[in-house]
Amino acid sequence: MSFPRLVDRRPELSPDELVQAMTPPPRFDVVRFDTYLPNPEEPSQAQAVRDCSTFAEGINADTGGGSWLRAMFGRKKTGDGKSGLYLDGGFGVGKTHLLASMWHATEGAKSYGTFVEVTNLVGALGFAETVKRLSEHRLLAIDEFELDDPGDTMLVTQLIAKLTDAGVRIAATSNTLPDKLGEGRFAAVDFLREIHAMSARFSVVRVDGPDYRHRGLPDAPPPMSEDELTRLAEATDGSTLDDFDELCGFLGGLHASKYGRLVDGISAVHLSGVHAARDQDVALRLVALADRLYDRAIPVRVSGEALSALFTDEMLHGGYRKKYLRAISRLTALSRDLAKS
């Protein structure tokens, strides 16, 4: 029997669609500050809610006019004179929930995207056009902010400088403090001036705590047999079934900014023959796919090795460690979703 496969889909996004798509993903459509449940044992979480709410209120209180007025006079900054808010903390503490809540609480034109979506927008529109369009917005929210290579460093630091000078407020989430971005991935020391200039524009809000996705919950279900995986894929309307290696190869030819469109409308993803990623490039593509699946609450079933074995010990002790742990956390939660059904 022939099953629908992700590798047979050909997602495309026009430049205008890229701009229109810059909104929180489906999982975060309905989140608000009052739906965030701070861990009572982690006071930084309740403080983060207050700081993020104050940040959004400050944007709304600013009734400045168009971008030419903002460029001349600027907008109000945070209490410490900075124009951006940077949520730093481990994975699974609700940073994306808070970022999306800021977006929802902000009035007027605004945009929201992952770091890779923002960089891809620049690639699609060009730097000047991206600055022009986003300068009309009151807020740019950037999730999963990270500097993975020198090109991204120069691009993003310049973009943030242009936008904040035009009065746009920037809110971002990351697992890395802004002045430590890029460490362990490339020769970040060569770009310290740019990194420090960018980080100086942000107030840092720390969000501490354990991964909420797994507090008091069982481990992910073990991988199943090929026959059981095929049977369940057939029984799940709207699902896909892909060979893991074939999917990894397919992702290599698809820009990560299209991974969300790739899985739109899918009810569940089934992966056959899962094993550890063969190299860092494949591993990072799997991280991006895991994030987009999680954004859309698309459950996952696998055969082969467990999802916790996607990344080698060497990877888990390298510069991308936090990304890999976040992916495992999210995929574990998604596989648990299907196990309950």
Side-chain angles (χ1 to χ4, degrees):
M1 179 177 178
S2 177
F3 292 96
R5 304 186 305 167
L6 291 176
V7 297
D8 294 327
R9 295 165 72 97
R10 295 295 182 269
E12 293 295 338
L13 282 167
S14 70
D16 284 340
E17 286 177 315
L18 285 171
V19 176
Q20 294 164 8
M22 293 192 73
T23 59
R27 180 184 286 271
F28 300 98
D29 276 345
V30 298
V31 300
R32 299 294 187 273
F33 290 126
D34 59 5
T35 64
Y36 182 92
L37 302 177
N39 184 339
E41 297 180 2
E42 301 291 344
S44 68
Q45 294 187 7
Q47 183 60 50
V49 174
R50 292 190 289 270
D51 290 340
C52 292
S53 179
T54 298
F55 185 76
E57 290 170 1
I59 299 174
N60 294 337
D62 177 9
T63 57
S67 60
W68 68 272
L69 282 175
R70 298 199 302 271
M72 183 176 295
F73 299 110
R75 279 184 175 162
K76 294 179 181 178
K77 299 182 178 181
T78 58
D80 56 8
K82 300 183 180 183
S83 54
L85 197 68
Y86 191 99
L87 297 175
D88 170 65
F91 52 88
V93 294
K95 299 188 302 297
T96 301
H97 184 136
L98 292 171
L99 185 72
S101 297
M102 278 190 278
W103 188 91
H104 287 299
T106 299
E107 301 166 358
K110 53 196 174 182
S111 48
Y112 179 111
T114 63
F115 181 81
V116 71
E117 288 168 341
V118 172
T119 56
N120 187 54
L121 182 67
V122 178
L125 296 180
F127 187 82
E129 181 64 18
T130 301
V131 171
K132 178 182 175 183
R133 293 202 188 197
L134 296 185
S135 290
E136 298 295 335
H137 292 191
R138 297 165 69 88
L139 169 70
L140 170 60
I142 308 175
D143 199 17
E144 302 157 16
F145 194 103
E146 195 51 88
L147 300 179
D148 291 339
D149 62 61
D152 282 349
T153 299
M154 298 303 295
L155 176 68
V156 173
T157 54
Q158 291 174 22
L159 179 64
I160 287 177
K162 290 287 187 182
L163 293 179
T164 54
D165 286 348
V168 181
R169 302 293 289 276
I170 311 287
T173 71
S174 182
N175 302 125
T176 307
L177 284 166
D179 61 351
K180 301 296 183 183
L181 289 165
E183 285 190 354
R185 292 124 188 249
F186 64 95
V189 66
D190 296 335
F191 298 88
L192 283 179
R193 184 180 66 179
E194 289 80 7
I195 292 172
H196 288 166
M198 181 196 68
S199 67
R201 297 174 184 265
F202 288 98
S203 298
V204 176
V205 172
R206 178 72 187 176
V207 190
D208 295 309
D211 185 349
Y212 79 91
R213 285 184 283 268
H214 306 295
R215 287 203 301 260
L217 295 175
D219 292 335
M224 55 191 63
S225 69
E226 296 293 336
D227 288 344
E228 185 180 12
L229 185 75
T230 301
R231 179 183 63 80
L232 290 171
E234 182 179 5
T236 307
D237 290 340
S239 70
T240 57
L241 174 61
D242 285 85
D243 174 78
F244 180 73
D245 283 328
E246 188 174 4
L247 179 62
C248 288
F250 172 75
L251 293 176
L254 186 69
H255 194 280
S257 63
K258 297 180 180 178
Y259 289 8
R261 178 63 62 90
L262 174 69
V263 298
D264 277 345
I266 300 297
S267 65
V269 165
H270 298 75
L271 299 177
S272 171
V274 167
H275 58 81
R278 67 176 183 271
D279 58 43
Q280 200 98 265
D281 289 339
V282 173
L284 290 172
R285 292 177 198 129
L286 292 172
V287 169
L289 179 64
D291 288 336
R292 302 295 76 77
L293 291 170
Y294 184 77
D295 287 344
R296 289 155 177 78
I298 299 174
V300 178
R301 292 188 180 111
V302 303
S303 68
E305 296 186 46
L307 288 167
S308 58
L310 269 182
F311 311 110
T312 65
D313 287 342
E314 182 180 2
M315 292 174 182
L316 291 174
H317 289 87
Y320 298 102
R321 176 178 182 273
K322 292 178 181 179
K323 282 192 173 188
Y324 297 145
L325 291 175
R326 182 186 74 219
I328 291 172
S329 169
R330 289 181 164 186
L331 288 170
T332 297
L334 293 174
S335 64
R336 194 187 292 125
D337 288 346
L338 265 181
K340 294 184 296 187
S341 62

